[in-house]
Each structure stands twice: as C-alpha cells, then as structure tokens.
Amino acid sequence: MTVNERIKEIRQKLNKSQREFAKAIYVSYGYLSEIETGQKEANERLIHLISGAFSVNKHWLLTGEGRMFNSTPEEKLERVTGLFNELYPEFQDFVLRQIDELIELQNIRHEK
C-alpha cells in the first residue's frame, strides 16, 4: 500500500468526506482527490498536516508499520478522565466551559 492509499484509508477510517478532510488540513478538495487517486504524490508538508490534524502516526503513514493513530479516542478519553478527576471542582467547571466554547468554535468553523 502506498502513502497515498494510506491517506485515503485514514480519511475513510475517520468517516470524513474528501471535502471535510481537505478542509481540516487546509488543502483543496481537488488536491486531496489527486493525492488519493495517485495523480500527485504526497509531500512532507501534507504528511505533517495530516499527522498533526488527526493524530496520525507519521511512521505508519510513511511505511505502513505500527499503529495508524498515535492514540485511540478511548485512550485519550481515559487520560482526560484521569486528569479531570485530579482537578479541584472549580477547575473542573472551568474545563467544561472551555470545552463548550471549543465545540461552538468547531461548529462555526464547520459551517464555513
């Protein structure tokens, strides 16, 4: 499997359309389509953007070896839960407000 094919696999695993995926990594839909079909080769910048935006294991993306993601959503949730439980109640409230605001920003960004 090529890097380009692994990029498509990541997008499908995340259940994102080409447009959604491209928007999240700040590239055009057309460019992503050309990558996925093999018309263009993935460059270092694209690999860096995908790795950063979706917590993709860069080594896996380049070679196919190891885990696709740096950590699973379940692992992240377990870590967040542990850290959250260590906070004082007033800091927990602060964290929840921040999450609410991030979701609002995400929804606004998604509507554009």
Side-chain angles (χ1 to χ4, degrees), residues 34-72:
E34 290 175 332
I35 293 292
E36 287 191 3
T37 59
Q39 295 172 25
K40 292 195 176 193
E41 291 298 317
N43 58 33
E44 181 61 34
R45 177 182 169 269
L46 183 66
I47 290 166
H48 179 74
L49 289 169
I50 291 169
S51 178
F54 301 111
S55 287
V56 171
N57 177 342
K58 198 180 279 191
H59 179 73
W60 178 85
L61 187 51
L62 292 170
T63 67
E65 298 171 356
R67 293 169 53 167
M68 181 184 291
F69 296 101
N70 291 323
S71 59
T72 65

Side-chain angles (χ1 to χ4, degrees), residues 3-4 7-8 11 18-19 21-23 25-50:
V3 172
N4 294 32
I7 289 171
K8 182 175 182 178
R11 180 183 61 77
Q18 284 183 330
R19 288 188 194 281
F21 193 86
K23 187 175 182 178
I25 57 172
Y26 305 101
V27 299
S28 73
Y29 157 75
Y31 178 68
L32 178 63
S33 179
E34 290 175 332
I35 293 292
E36 287 191 3
T37 59
Q39 295 172 25
K40 292 195 176 193
E41 291 298 317
N43 58 33
E44 181 61 34
R45 177 182 169 269
L46 183 66
I47 290 166
H48 179 74
L49 289 169
I50 291 169

